[in-house]
Amino acid sequence: CSQRRRPSGPGPEMEAGGGEAGSPTTTPTKRVIVVTGGSGLVGRGIQAIVAQEQADLSESEKAQEEWVFLSSKDANLLDEHDTEEKVFKKYKPTHVIHLAAMVGGLFRNMKYPVEFYHNNILINNNILALSHKYKVQKLVSCLSTCIFPDKTTYPIDETMVHNGPPHCSNEGYAYAKRMIDVQNRAYNREYQCNFTSVIPTNIFGPHDNFNLEDAHVLPALMHKLYLAKKEDTDFVVWGTGKPLRQFIYSLDLARLFLWVLRHYNEVEPIILSVGEEDEISIKDAALMVAEAMDYPLENIKFDSTKADGQFKKTASNAKLMRLLKESGQEFTFTPIRQALNETVAWFQSNYETARK
């Protein structure tokens, strides 16, 4: 861990290592950024944004930074020895973006609470402990808005994470994710580690998991509707459609992840989300997906015998927008309809190979 409280992250504004500041003989230290869960939804988004940025760099600039995107095939993150040998010893990361987790939708969380807690605790313990052991300069972990208390006031913000128990439908996953925040503060207090975390709202985009059993709401809706259109049947949405959600496009989230890595200088988590005014109901989301797929709206049905889950978890992005402004960053979220259209187009074009 760095002995300074908050070193800079990698990127165009990154600080060079290997010499005194201002020395003409200082040689930039190569930065190695390892992304766990790099083949998933957010990891693929970061890959795409990094590729866009590198297209504008010279060869010498590209050589100063190496990105390593890991999948579950590269190492068993549940096993500390395997993680150390195949990730930290092999790549010697200077920075880590920790995305890997056991994840799933509402019904899978309800079915396997023990596994969601146990496996995520093991993965997170291994990544944080080894990041400390190998003196990683900065670690950014990914949390979720499901970690917030079920009984709370809205909008929720970063100060409210530990104010009460999460919703019972996903408490195994939620408590495991909460512990990352506890660990980040502990590592910073005891070892001055530069560990932090982000809390995105509901993510969607190309390369999502479209499995009907354990996908999150938007990819599940897309897959169900794809099959309903193909089979000329009604499109049945589980639940009443009344719950409200803030959806963030994976490519927007990827851009914000890079900003956090480079500019965010706090141990405390930061919410990455569209604004409160952009919250929509599951019903409206289903209608927009149907429109994107050119499906007749009158054939959409809602099965109110199925659980709705948490009614709302409206999050404030005030801290994010304030810090973006202070750092001189201009950021515009992709409109939800455009992002849904792009995701639907990707899913339809890649249906045979998409995760489902």
Side-chain angles (χ1 to χ4, degrees):
C1 298
S2 170
Q3 294 305 303
R4 291 166 299 166
R5 183 174 177 83
R6 285 294 161 194
S8 300
E13 299 81 9
M14 310 176 274
E15 114 191 320
E20 295 182 2
S23 168
T25 59
T26 295
T27 301
T29 301
K30 181 178 180 179
R31 295 163 294 273
V32 180
I33 306 98
V34 163
V35 182
T36 70
S39 62
L41 170 63
V42 181
R44 290 296 190 100
I46 294 174
Q47 285 188 53
I49 301 305
V50 168
Q52 290 177 16
E53 290 188 348
Q54 290 187 337
D56 297 325
L57 299 179
S58 67
E59 290 303 316
S60 61
E61 288 174 321
K62 292 179 184 178
Q64 294 175 20
E65 184 173 284
E66 177 186 357
W67 285 82
V68 180
F69 293 90
L70 301 177
S71 73
S72 58
K73 297 178 182 178
D74 294 300
N76 177 13
L77 301 186
L78 292 164
D79 182 271
E80 184 175 9
H81 177 75
D82 205 55
T83 304
E84 181 168 16
E85 293 295 321
K86 296 180 180 178
V87 178
F88 288 86
K89 279 188 178 180
K90 181 176 181 179
Y91 297 108
K92 299 177 176 61
T94 60
H95 298 75
V96 174
I97 294 178
H98 176 36
L99 306 176
M102 178 181 177
V103 297
L106 170 65
F107 296 97
R108 191 175 183 214
N109 269 275
M110 293 170 66
K111 188 175 182 179
Y112 301 110
V114 172
E115 288 78 6
F116 272 95
Y117 180 81
H118 177 77
N119 291 347
N120 283 304
I121 285 289
L122 285 180
I123 291 170
N124 300 335
N125 284 349
N126 291 337
I127 293 298
L128 271 72
L130 291 168
S131 291
H132 162 56
K133 181 177 180 179
Y134 283 81
K135 303 184 187 304
V136 166
Q137 294 174 31
K138 190 167 187 177
L139 165 66
V140 181
S141 298
C142 190
L143 310 185
S144 165
T145 51
C146 75
I147 69 175
F148 284 102
D150 178 35
K151 307 299 182 184
T152 187
T153 56
Y154 295 99
I156 50 181
D157 64 38
E158 293 85 354
T159 68
M160 301 162 69
V161 171
H162 303 284
N163 284 1
H167 192 270
C168 61
S169 64
N170 54 22
E171 64 179 353
Y173 178 81
Y175 274 118
K177 283 293 189 178
R178 275 191 191 185
M179 289 304 102
I180 290 180
D181 177 50
V182 174
Q183 290 171 293
N184 284 345
R185 287 185 276 113
Y187 274 104
N188 180 266
R189 187 178 302 117
E190 186 171 348
Y191 301 113
Q192 296 76 54
C193 290
N194 190 11
F195 295 174
T196 191
S197 58
V198 302
I199 308 175
T201 46
N202 296 264
I203 315 161
F204 72 98
H207 303 284
D208 208 337
N209 172 18
F210 295 86
N211 186 284
L212 293 175
E213 293 291 325
D214 58 18
H216 288 104
V217 59
L218 283 182
L221 289 174
M222 291 176 192
H223 195 178
K224 278 188 174 184
L225 201 148
Y226 178 92
L227 295 175
K229 184 176 180 180
K230 181 180 179 181
E231 298 164 5
D232 194 24
T233 59
D234 286 342
F235 172 35
V236 180
V237 180
W238 285 6
T240 65
K242 294 179 181 179
L244 303 171
R245 295 292 182 265
Q246 288 159 292
F247 294 104
I248 184 169
Y249 192 31
S250 58
L251 296 180
D252 290 343
L253 181 59
R255 294 184 181 94
L256 290 173
F257 248 106
L258 296 186
W259 174 82
V260 168
L261 194 66
R262 296 164 181 166
H263 300 287
Y264 183 63
N265 297 315
E266 299 178 21
V267 176
E268 291 73 23
I270 183 169
I271 291 171
L272 304 183
S273 174
V274 297
E276 300 162 49
E277 67 279 5
D278 295 313
E279 187 175 53
I280 63 172
S281 69
I282 300 301
K283 179 179 179 180
D284 287 339
L287 293 175
M288 282 189 270
V289 171
E291 289 173 354
M293 287 191 168
D294 195 26
Y295 182 86
L297 302 186
E298 60 270 19
N299 289 352
I300 301 177
K301 313 295 181 185
F302 292 86
D303 183 356
S304 59
T305 66
K306 302 296 185 182
D308 270 337
Q310 196 168 358
F311 177 69
K312 65 182 294 183
K313 38 188 176 179
T314 313
S316 169
N317 70 353
K319 179 178 178 179
L320 169 66
M321 301 313 290
R322 173 176 57 81
L323 292 177
L324 284 171
K325 184 177 181 180
E326 290 176 359
S327 64
Q329 301 289 315
E330 294 184 4
F331 191 89
T332 302
F333 289 96
T334 306
I336 182 70
R337 289 184 183 275
Q338 177 186 335
L340 282 173
N341 287 341
E342 291 177 5
T343 305
V344 164
W346 182 90
F347 177 58
Q348 291 176 322
S349 298
N350 296 273
Y351 182 79
E352 294 303 322
T353 55
R355 285 189 296 161
K356 61 184 188 303

